[in-house]
Short mmCIF file of all heavy atoms in Angstrom, two decimals:
data_model
loop_
_atom_site.label_atom_id
_atom_site.label_comp_id
_atom_site.label_asym_id
_atom_site.label_seq_id
_atom_site.Cartn_x
_atom_site.Cartn_y
_atom_site.Cartn_z
N HIS A 282 85.44 81.15 -23.60
CA HIS A 282 84.16 81.47 -24.25
C HIS A 282 84.34 82.48 -25.38
O HIS A 282 83.77 82.34 -26.46
CB HIS A 282 83.16 82.00 -23.22
CG HIS A 282 81.86 82.45 -23.81
ND1 HIS A 282 80.90 81.58 -24.29
CD2 HIS A 282 81.35 83.71 -24.01
CE1 HIS A 282 79.87 82.25 -24.76
NE2 HIS A 282 80.13 83.55 -24.60
N TYR A 283 85.14 83.51 -25.11
CA TYR A 283 85.33 84.59 -26.09
C TYR A 283 86.55 84.39 -26.99
O TYR A 283 86.87 85.24 -27.81
CB TYR A 283 85.45 85.93 -25.38
CG TYR A 283 84.16 86.41 -24.74
CD1 TYR A 283 83.98 86.41 -23.38
CD2 TYR A 283 83.13 86.89 -25.55
CE1 TYR A 283 82.80 86.88 -22.80
CE2 TYR A 283 81.94 87.36 -24.97
CZ TYR A 283 81.81 87.34 -23.61
OH TYR A 283 80.63 87.79 -23.03
N ASN A 284 87.25 83.28 -26.80
CA ASN A 284 88.47 83.02 -27.58
C ASN A 284 89.51 84.10 -27.36
O ASN A 284 90.17 84.57 -28.29
CB ASN A 284 88.15 82.87 -29.06
CG ASN A 284 89.29 82.24 -29.85
OD1 ASN A 284 90.07 81.46 -29.31
ND2 ASN A 284 89.40 82.58 -31.13
N VAL A 285 89.65 84.53 -26.12
CA VAL A 285 90.65 85.52 -25.73
C VAL A 285 91.80 84.80 -25.03
O VAL A 285 91.58 83.91 -24.20
CB VAL A 285 90.06 86.58 -24.78
CG1 VAL A 285 91.14 87.50 -24.23
CG2 VAL A 285 89.03 87.41 -25.49
N LYS A 286 93.02 85.17 -25.37
CA LYS A 286 94.20 84.57 -24.76
C LYS A 286 94.67 85.38 -23.56
O LYS A 286 94.37 86.55 -23.43
CB LYS A 286 95.32 84.41 -25.78
CG LYS A 286 95.00 83.45 -26.91
CD LYS A 286 94.78 82.04 -26.41
CE LYS A 286 94.55 81.06 -27.54
NZ LYS A 286 94.35 79.66 -27.04
N LEU A 287 95.44 84.70 -22.68
CA LEU A 287 95.97 85.34 -21.48
C LEU A 287 97.47 85.54 -21.58
O LEU A 287 98.21 84.63 -22.00
CB LEU A 287 95.68 84.47 -20.24
CG LEU A 287 94.33 84.59 -19.57
CD1 LEU A 287 94.21 83.51 -18.50
CD2 LEU A 287 94.10 85.93 -18.96
N ASP A 288 97.95 86.72 -21.20
CA ASP A 288 99.34 86.97 -20.88
C ASP A 288 99.44 87.03 -19.37
O ASP A 288 98.80 87.89 -18.74
CB ASP A 288 99.82 88.29 -21.48
CG ASP A 288 100.27 88.14 -22.92
OD1 ASP A 288 100.16 87.05 -23.48
OD2 ASP A 288 100.71 89.15 -23.51
N ILE A 289 100.19 86.13 -18.78
CA ILE A 289 100.25 85.99 -17.33
C ILE A 289 101.68 86.33 -16.85
O ILE A 289 102.65 85.82 -17.38
CB ILE A 289 99.88 84.57 -16.87
CG1 ILE A 289 98.41 84.27 -17.11
CG2 ILE A 289 100.25 84.37 -15.40
CD1 ILE A 289 97.47 84.88 -16.13
N ILE A 290 101.76 87.16 -15.83
CA ILE A 290 103.01 87.41 -15.13
C ILE A 290 102.86 86.80 -13.73
O ILE A 290 102.02 87.23 -12.95
CB ILE A 290 103.32 88.90 -15.03
CG1 ILE A 290 103.35 89.55 -16.41
CG2 ILE A 290 104.66 89.13 -14.31
CD1 ILE A 290 103.49 91.06 -16.39
N SER A 291 103.66 85.79 -13.42
CA SER A 291 103.50 85.04 -12.18
C SER A 291 104.84 84.87 -11.47
O SER A 291 105.90 84.88 -12.10
CB SER A 291 102.89 83.66 -12.50
OG SER A 291 102.88 82.81 -11.37
N ASN A 292 104.78 84.67 -10.15
CA ASN A 292 106.00 84.35 -9.40
C ASN A 292 106.33 82.85 -9.47
O ASN A 292 107.38 82.44 -9.00
CB ASN A 292 105.92 84.82 -7.96
CG ASN A 292 104.75 84.24 -7.18
OD1 ASN A 292 104.51 83.04 -7.17
ND2 ASN A 292 104.03 85.12 -6.47
N GLY A 293 105.43 82.06 -10.01
CA GLY A 293 105.69 80.66 -10.26
C GLY A 293 105.44 79.72 -9.11
O GLY A 293 105.50 78.49 -9.29
N MET A 294 105.21 80.21 -7.89
CA MET A 294 105.04 79.35 -6.74
C MET A 294 103.78 78.49 -6.82
O MET A 294 103.74 77.36 -6.32
CB MET A 294 105.01 80.19 -5.45
CG MET A 294 106.35 80.74 -5.05
SD MET A 294 107.50 79.46 -4.47
CE MET A 294 106.70 78.93 -2.94
N LEU A 295 102.73 78.98 -7.48
CA LEU A 295 101.46 78.27 -7.56
C LEU A 295 101.23 77.62 -8.91
O LEU A 295 100.15 77.09 -9.17
CB LEU A 295 100.31 79.23 -7.26
CG LEU A 295 100.38 79.95 -5.90
CD1 LEU A 295 99.23 80.94 -5.76
CD2 LEU A 295 100.37 78.96 -4.75
N LEU A 296 102.24 77.62 -9.74
CA LEU A 296 102.11 77.09 -11.12
C LEU A 296 102.23 75.57 -11.13
O LEU A 296 103.22 75.01 -11.60
CB LEU A 296 103.18 77.74 -12.02
CG LEU A 296 103.06 77.46 -13.51
CD1 LEU A 296 101.85 78.14 -14.08
CD2 LEU A 296 104.35 77.90 -14.22
N LYS A 297 101.22 74.91 -10.65
CA LYS A 297 101.27 73.45 -10.58
C LYS A 297 99.85 72.91 -10.46
O LYS A 297 98.89 73.65 -10.20
CB LYS A 297 102.11 72.99 -9.40
CG LYS A 297 101.71 73.58 -8.06
CD LYS A 297 102.71 73.21 -6.98
CE LYS A 297 102.44 73.94 -5.68
NZ LYS A 297 103.46 73.62 -4.65
N GLY A 298 99.71 71.59 -10.66
CA GLY A 298 98.42 70.93 -10.51
C GLY A 298 97.37 71.45 -11.48
O GLY A 298 97.65 71.81 -12.62
N GLU A 299 96.14 71.52 -10.98
CA GLU A 299 95.00 71.93 -11.81
C GLU A 299 95.12 73.37 -12.29
O GLU A 299 94.70 73.69 -13.38
CB GLU A 299 93.70 71.72 -11.06
CG GLU A 299 93.18 70.31 -11.07
CD GLU A 299 92.92 69.79 -12.47
OE1 GLU A 299 92.09 70.38 -13.18
OE2 GLU A 299 93.58 68.83 -12.85
N ARG A 300 95.70 74.23 -11.46
CA ARG A 300 95.83 75.64 -11.86
C ARG A 300 96.68 75.75 -13.12
O ARG A 300 96.37 76.54 -14.02
CB ARG A 300 96.44 76.46 -10.74
CG ARG A 300 95.48 76.84 -9.65
CD ARG A 300 96.01 77.86 -8.69
NE ARG A 300 95.04 78.19 -7.69
CZ ARG A 300 94.13 79.14 -7.80
NH1 ARG A 300 94.09 79.84 -8.88
NH2 ARG A 300 93.25 79.38 -6.85
N ALA A 301 97.73 75.00 -13.17
CA ALA A 301 98.61 75.02 -14.36
C ALA A 301 97.94 74.38 -15.56
O ALA A 301 97.97 74.92 -16.66
CB ALA A 301 99.93 74.32 -14.04
N ARG A 302 97.30 73.25 -15.37
CA ARG A 302 96.68 72.53 -16.48
C ARG A 302 95.51 73.34 -17.08
O ARG A 302 95.33 73.37 -18.30
CB ARG A 302 96.17 71.16 -16.01
CG ARG A 302 97.29 70.12 -15.89
CD ARG A 302 96.72 68.75 -15.64
NE ARG A 302 96.23 68.62 -14.28
CZ ARG A 302 96.98 68.24 -13.26
NH1 ARG A 302 98.26 67.98 -13.43
NH2 ARG A 302 96.47 68.13 -12.04
N LYS A 303 94.72 73.99 -16.22
CA LYS A 303 93.60 74.79 -16.71
C LYS A 303 94.08 76.03 -17.47
O LYS A 303 93.41 76.51 -18.37
CB LYS A 303 92.72 75.24 -15.53
CG LYS A 303 91.91 74.12 -14.89
CD LYS A 303 91.10 74.68 -13.75
CE LYS A 303 90.25 73.62 -13.08
NZ LYS A 303 89.48 74.17 -11.93
N LEU A 304 95.25 76.54 -17.10
CA LEU A 304 95.77 77.74 -17.70
C LEU A 304 96.24 77.53 -19.14
O LEU A 304 96.02 78.38 -20.01
CB LEU A 304 96.93 78.29 -16.85
CG LEU A 304 97.68 79.49 -17.36
CD1 LEU A 304 96.77 80.70 -17.46
CD2 LEU A 304 98.87 79.81 -16.41
N LEU A 305 96.84 76.42 -19.38
CA LEU A 305 97.55 76.18 -20.66
C LEU A 305 96.66 76.38 -21.90
O LEU A 305 97.10 77.02 -22.87
CB LEU A 305 98.15 74.78 -20.65
CG LEU A 305 99.21 74.47 -21.71
CD1 LEU A 305 100.34 75.50 -21.66
CD2 LEU A 305 99.76 73.09 -21.52
N PRO A 306 95.40 75.90 -21.93
CA PRO A 306 94.60 76.03 -23.17
C PRO A 306 94.28 77.47 -23.58
O PRO A 306 93.99 77.72 -24.76
CB PRO A 306 93.32 75.26 -22.86
CG PRO A 306 93.70 74.32 -21.75
CD PRO A 306 94.70 75.06 -20.94
N VAL A 307 94.29 78.41 -22.63
CA VAL A 307 93.94 79.80 -22.96
C VAL A 307 95.13 80.72 -22.87
O VAL A 307 95.00 81.94 -22.90
CB VAL A 307 92.82 80.32 -22.04
CG1 VAL A 307 91.52 79.53 -22.26
CG2 VAL A 307 93.22 80.28 -20.57
N LEU A 308 96.33 80.17 -22.78
CA LEU A 308 97.52 80.96 -22.55
C LEU A 308 98.17 81.40 -23.83
O LEU A 308 98.28 80.64 -24.79
CB LEU A 308 98.52 80.14 -21.71
CG LEU A 308 99.74 80.91 -21.16
CD1 LEU A 308 99.32 81.99 -20.19
CD2 LEU A 308 100.70 79.92 -20.48
N SER A 309 98.62 82.64 -23.86
CA SER A 309 99.42 83.16 -24.95
C SER A 309 100.87 83.31 -24.52
O SER A 309 101.78 82.92 -25.27
CB SER A 309 98.89 84.52 -25.42
OG SER A 309 99.76 85.11 -26.35
N GLU A 310 101.10 83.86 -23.33
CA GLU A 310 102.44 84.08 -22.83
C GLU A 310 102.46 83.93 -21.31
O GLU A 310 101.59 84.47 -20.62
CB GLU A 310 102.92 85.48 -23.20
CG GLU A 310 104.34 85.80 -22.78
CD GLU A 310 105.39 85.34 -23.77
OE1 GLU A 310 105.03 85.13 -24.94
OE2 GLU A 310 106.55 85.21 -23.40
#
């Protein structure tokens, strides 16, 4: 909504499916 990007630090275990697909459009790093 605000055109703000996300920097995410993750352990990678949950980076799959819908969570991953939804993340990509607002992701910076």
Side-chain angles (χ1 to χ4, degrees):
H282 176 73
Y283 289 108
N284 195 29
V285 172
K286 295 297 184 180
L287 276 173
D288 276 3
I289 291 283
I290 304 173
S291 171
N292 58 50
M294 287 291 292
L295 303 176
L296 189 68
K297 54 187 172 183
E299 279 300 300
R300 281 191 179 272
R302 281 189 287 272
K303 289 180 179 178
L304 175 63
L305 195 55
V307 296
L308 190 63
S309 173
E310 183 84 22

